[in-house]
Each structure stands twice: as C-alpha cells, then as structure tokens.
Amino acid sequence: MSRLRGGAASAAAMLGMVVLLTGCEGVELPADSEPSGSGPAVSSGRAVSPLDNPDGTKAGLAAITTDADRTKARALIEKVETKGRGPKTGYDRDEFGYAWKDSAPGGIPFSRNGCDTRNDLLQRDGEDVRFRSGSDCVVVSMTLADPYTGKEIDWVKSRATAVQIDHVMPLSYDWQMGASRWDKGKREDIANDPLNLIPVDGPTNGSKSDSGPASWLPPNKQIRCSYVVRFAQVSLKYELPVTKADKEMMLRQCGG
C-alpha cells in the first residue's frame, strides 16, 4: 500500500514538473512533441526580395520594406493587363504535363538538370537539407522558413504534405486567363518555372486553392507585397492578364 502511495506521489511530482515547464517561455520541447510550424514567426536570412530575383532561382520571398521598393513594386504591377476570368471548361492538371517533370521544353531554370522540379525547389528554399542515401537530388529532411505563415517548419519526407509547392499563379487560374489556348510545352513551362513556385506550409496552400489575390493572400502580412509582385512577374513573363479586382488588390498590398 505504501508503495502505491509513493508511486502516486512520484507521478504527481513528475506532472508538476511538466506543468512548470510548459508554463516557461523559451523551453525547447522534443521535436516529436511540437507540431511542424508551431513556433514563433521567423524569417530566413537567405530569402530574397522578388525585385532582386526576377528569374526565381534565388531562395524564398523576402519582404519589401522600403518606400523606394514599394514604388518599384507598384510600377511593375501597373504593367499587368486585366480581363475577366474565363470558364474553367476543359481544365485538368494533366494539361500542364505530369507533376514536377524535369524536361519542360522552354529552357526554364533548373530544367533538365537530372532532378525533378519539387526537389529542386526544396533545395532552393530549404536549410539544413539532407538527401536520401546515394542521391544528390531527393530531399528527405530540411528546415523551411515558410513565407506564407512566417513560421519555421521542420520537414521530413515521411510527412511530405506538410510542405507543398505553391503555384503562385495557380494553374487553373492560368487556364482561365488564356493558357487554355497555349501549346502543351508552354503550359509545362509555367507549371515548372521556379518563378511561379514556392515551397510553403501545406494546409495554408490548400486554403488558397486557385484563388487570385482579390480572394486570397498569405496570412503573413509582411510578405503580401512581395507575394503580389511575384504574381505580377509570372503574369508579365507569360503574358497572362489578371482580373481587375486582382490587380486592384495587388496594388493595394504595395501601398497603391
């Protein structure tokens, strides 16, 4: 009986320790006890402003913070044409080629380098990247400073969907704004172009679906101007218009 009381006292003491620890700021919990992306807002020191990354080959999506750069951002967005969003009739993801192919025909960056598009992007934006044994392509773990939420994600391949590759200008949106009339090769280019691709928090990307900026923006307000600049860069490169409402929202995010 005394052993039972002693065990209960020991358990109570351990519970008290847990309560004390969880009430303290700055306590580091084991990786398995803290969900990916649940930490404080972070920013990657490697992230580059879209104004300084016109081909999408550099990492991340750094915030646009100065008045001068916001002026440049608005000037870029002003060049984007507008029109109404067309029907989605005939759209299918396969119309843009199979996902993450390494052989898009238009000479886009990273194409035909022996590594598929998804892994190229994980390498571009991830830190502490680790590869599958015997491979210099397949990423099995990394840390991502997610621009959309401002949080850090410790990602492993066994939980692949925790990080998804976002098409900044969604493929369905592209289809409705004119890509339905393109040849297959050009559609494969925009689907695999690093300018149009950012690794981000999976659930947040899911909430975006095929929305334009008028109906969806990243939760992290600090990078919204950068996000719409990237949207504009893709629009201009591929000569795809946006809706009037989307353009107005894009300008607003950069102080217009």
Side-chain angles (χ1 to χ4, degrees), residues 67-86:
D67 289 341
D69 279 351
R70 281 190 284 268
T71 298
K72 291 178 184 176
R74 292 193 299 272
L76 182 75
I77 295 166
E78 286 286 8
K79 297 177 184 177
V80 174
E81 299 291 334
T82 62
K83 78 163 194 175
R85 195 161 172 167

Side-chain angles (χ1 to χ4, degrees), residues 124-212:
R124 185 195 69 182
D125 288 11
E127 299 183 74
D128 300 321
V129 173
R130 297 195 176 191
F131 298 96
R132 187 169 64 193
S133 178
S135 173
D136 60 1
C137 170
V138 180
V139 178
V140 295
S141 69
M142 65 164 192
T143 299
L144 179 72
D146 171 34
Y148 284 7
T149 63
K151 295 181 180 180
E152 189 171 273
I153 301 173
D154 293 320
W155 178 86
V156 292
K157 191 173 177 62
S158 61
R159 298 196 298 271
T161 57
V163 167
Q164 297 176 12
I165 310 296
D166 179 39
H167 286 96
V168 176
M169 200 170 188
L171 300 184
S172 173
Y173 187 102
D174 300 338
W175 181 267
Q176 293 174 274
M177 302 309 287
S180 60
R181 298 187 296 274
W182 292 354
D183 62 47
K184 187 75 170 281
K186 189 173 181 180
R187 290 198 291 264
E188 289 175 351
D189 285 346
I190 199 171
N192 293 280
D193 192 332
L195 184 65
N196 194 29
L197 297 170
I198 304 177
V200 296
D201 174 67
T204 302
N205 184 48
S207 73
K208 172 182 172 178
S209 186
D210 64 351
S211 302

Side-chain angles (χ1 to χ4, degrees), residues 100-103 110-121 123 131 135-139:
W100 314 132
K101 67 183 298 181
D102 184 40
S103 56
F110 305 148
S111 182
R112 303 177 187 273
N113 65 354
C115 191
D116 66 85
T117 304
R118 177 179 168 85
N119 280 294
D120 281 333
L121 272 294
Q123 292 180 52
F131 298 96
S135 173
D136 60 1
C137 170
V138 180
V139 178

